[in-house]
Amino acid sequence: MKKSRNARVNGVLGGLSEAMGIDPFWLRAIYGIVLALSVLTLQWWLTIIMVIICIVLATVMDKPDAGSGSTKPRDDTGGSQPAPERNRMTRSEINSLLERSVLVYVGPIAVLLIVYSILHFAGFHKMLANDAEAIGAVLGVFGGIYAVVWAFTIFLIWTQFSLVENLVLQEVSSLDDLARFSEEFGDERVSISSAIRQYIYAATAEWPNLAQQSISIKAEEMFSDVTRKTFAVTPKNPKQEMFYARLLEVVDRANTFRDERVAVSIKRMPPTLLTVLDLLALAALLCMFVLPIQHWLVGVLLLGILACLFALARYVMTDMDNPFAGSWNVSPQPFKDLVRKL
């Protein structure tokens, strides 16, 4: 009988999903929220508001992007070229990110609030009512330590993130200088420009490798080809000799920027530091369970806000720790802009 009831629920959710054009994942999430709120409280107005908000969000997130056709701008020669990539997330990427967020953050927070509500209705918060001042002091200590450690960590992560971004711009600038200075060498300029273009294609394709803390062998080979063709230039007059010395200086600078960018890119936050922050956040949340808050809704709101702040702090920290993946990332767009200039 239980299986038949689940089958009927799944059938109803599937029908609503097709009729409303909403991903079934979101309808199941809404169904779970309705059940949880209905069981824990008689505040039906709160349940109705939450359902409306969830349906609106799910409908908005599942709408196809306007103007997401496959049109491509034409270049000056009459051919077509790919539209320049913008550093923005597609609808599928946003849905995937939200689904992971539900599993990693929203799900545990919902379970935390449900457990708190059950314990609150059971009178658990009254057991340590005489120790409210001590509990509040311990909660403040945990929060203060967490704030100091998190601020120090996010400063280091942001410094590394900005360094990678600056190194990308400096590397692109060096490659641009290399292409411009090679214009004094006639046919050899074509060879160097072609090598730079091939390296840029490999460098932009290297982004997923760097996100996985690995180096692209192809990008390394393409940059070595740029170096070989630069050293193969033969100056034929004093003016070219001056530009040749400049070429060697620029290619060495580009090599330095690339090595630094790759070295910094594969560094990540130590797992031990993340574990310490998670334990501090968990200790602060557990203090909320025994804090003698008389009104259930006030306790749920305070615990929910605190849990969401901890979750947001953790998300920002882990997302920015990887400069080549996530919501905030270093874009390869400067490399692509340079290709159009060559």
Side-chain angles (χ1 to χ4, degrees), residues 36 42 81 87-88 98 119 121 128 142 146 171 182 238 241 254 271 292 307:
L42 297 178
Q81 60 182 7
N87 191 23
R88 54 183 294 184
L98 289 177
L119 294 178
F121 289 139
L128 300 176
F142 285 145
Y146 183 93
E171 183 181 350
S182 66
E241 289 179 359

Side-chain angles (χ1 to χ4, degrees), residues 208-273:
N209 297 79
L210 295 176
Q212 299 296 325
Q213 296 181 275
S214 62
I215 302 175
S216 171
I217 303 299
K218 183 177 180 181
E220 290 286 336
E221 292 175 350
M222 292 297 101
F223 191 85
S224 298
D225 187 52
V226 172
T227 305
R228 282 194 302 270
K229 291 182 177 179
T230 301
F231 277 94
V233 172
T234 303
K236 299 181 176 64
N237 53 59
K239 182 180 179 181
Q240 287 190 351
E241 289 179 359
M242 182 182 63
F243 276 95
Y244 179 67
R246 186 62 174 160
L247 280 179
L248 297 182
E249 178 185 342
V250 171
V251 76
D252 180 67
R253 190 174 65 206
N255 182 47
T256 301
F257 290 145
R258 170 174 169 78
D259 289 343
E260 291 181 4
R261 174 173 64 85
V262 172
V264 174
S265 300
I266 60 179
K267 292 181 180 179
R268 296 291 183 271
M269 177 177 55
T272 306
L273 184 58

Side-chain angles (χ1 to χ4, degrees), residues 85 87 161 164-169 171-172 199-216 219 258 261-262 265-266 268 322-326 328-336:
E85 180 180 335
N87 191 23
F161 186 91
V164 172
E165 201 167 34
N166 290 333
L167 288 172
V168 168
L169 295 176
E171 183 181 350
V172 170
Y199 165 68
I200 290 176
Y201 291 145
T204 54
E206 188 183 25
W207 247 241
N209 297 79
L210 295 176
Q212 299 296 325
Q213 296 181 275
S214 62
I215 302 175
S216 171
R258 170 174 169 78
R261 174 173 64 85
V262 172
S265 300
I266 60 179
R268 296 291 183 271
N322 190 341
F324 298 95
W328 292 281
N329 56 74
V330 177
S331 172
Q333 192 63 38
F335 282 105
K336 298 177 181 179

Side-chain angles (χ1 to χ4, degrees), residues 12-254:
V12 171
L13 293 178
L16 289 174
S17 174
E18 294 180 1
M20 301 175 65
I22 300 176
D23 193 317
F25 172 84
W26 299 111
L27 285 180
R28 292 190 182 93
I30 295 170
Y31 178 68
I33 292 174
V34 172
L35 284 181
L37 291 176
S38 300
V39 170
L40 292 176
T41 179
L42 297 178
Q43 304 288 344
W44 292 104
W45 58 270
L46 182 60
T47 303
I48 294 173
I49 292 176
M50 288 295 296
V51 171
I52 293 174
I53 293 175
C54 290
I55 290 177
V56 171
L57 288 176
T59 305
V60 170
M61 296 314 304
D62 274 348
K63 281 184 178 180
D65 295 335
S68 60
S70 58
T71 58
K72 299 180 179 180
R74 302 183 65 85
D75 58 12
D76 296 337
T77 60
S80 62
Q81 60 182 7
E85 180 180 335
R86 294 179 174 86
N87 191 23
R88 54 183 294 184
M89 301 179 69
T90 63
R91 181 177 59 87
S92 60
E93 290 174 338
I94 294 176
N95 280 337
S96 177
L97 175 63
L98 289 177
E99 290 179 10
R100 291 196 305 270
S101 299
V102 168
L103 295 176
V104 177
Y105 297 109
V106 179
I109 291 176
V111 172
L112 189 72
L113 295 179
I114 291 174
V115 173
Y116 175 84
S117 300
I118 293 174
L119 294 178
H120 188 280
F121 289 139
F124 184 75
H125 63 288
K126 299 178 182 179
M127 296 176 58
L128 300 176
N130 296 329
D131 300 319
E133 186 175 350
I135 296 172
V138 172
L139 178 60
V141 170
F142 285 145
I145 297 175
Y146 183 93
V148 172
V149 177
W150 183 85
F152 174 74
T153 304
I154 203 67
F155 172 77
L156 295 179
I157 292 175
W158 177 253
T159 301
Q160 176 179 326
F161 186 91
S162 301
L163 179 59
V164 172
E165 201 167 34
N166 290 333
L167 288 172
V168 168
L169 295 176
Q170 290 174 332
E171 183 181 350
V172 170
S173 177
S174 298
L175 294 174
D176 188 21
D177 290 343
L178 185 63
R180 286 191 294 107
F181 288 133
S182 66
E183 293 177 357
E184 293 292 329
F185 296 93
D187 295 338
E188 293 168 322
R189 176 193 65 83
V190 178
S191 177
I192 294 176
S193 297
S194 176
I196 293 174
R197 188 179 294 107
Q198 294 302 318
Y199 165 68
I200 290 176
Y201 291 145
T204 54
E206 188 183 25
W207 247 241
N209 297 79
L210 295 176
Q212 299 296 325
Q213 296 181 275
S214 62
I215 302 175
S216 171
I217 303 299
K218 183 177 180 181
E220 290 286 336
E221 292 175 350
M222 292 297 101
F223 191 85
S224 298
D225 187 52
V226 172
T227 305
R228 282 194 302 270
K229 291 182 177 179
T230 301
F231 277 94
V233 172
T234 303
K236 299 181 176 64
N237 53 59
K239 182 180 179 181
Q240 287 190 351
E241 289 179 359
M242 182 182 63
F243 276 95
Y244 179 67
R246 186 62 174 160
L247 280 179
L248 297 182
E249 178 185 342
V250 171
V251 76
D252 180 67
R253 190 174 65 206

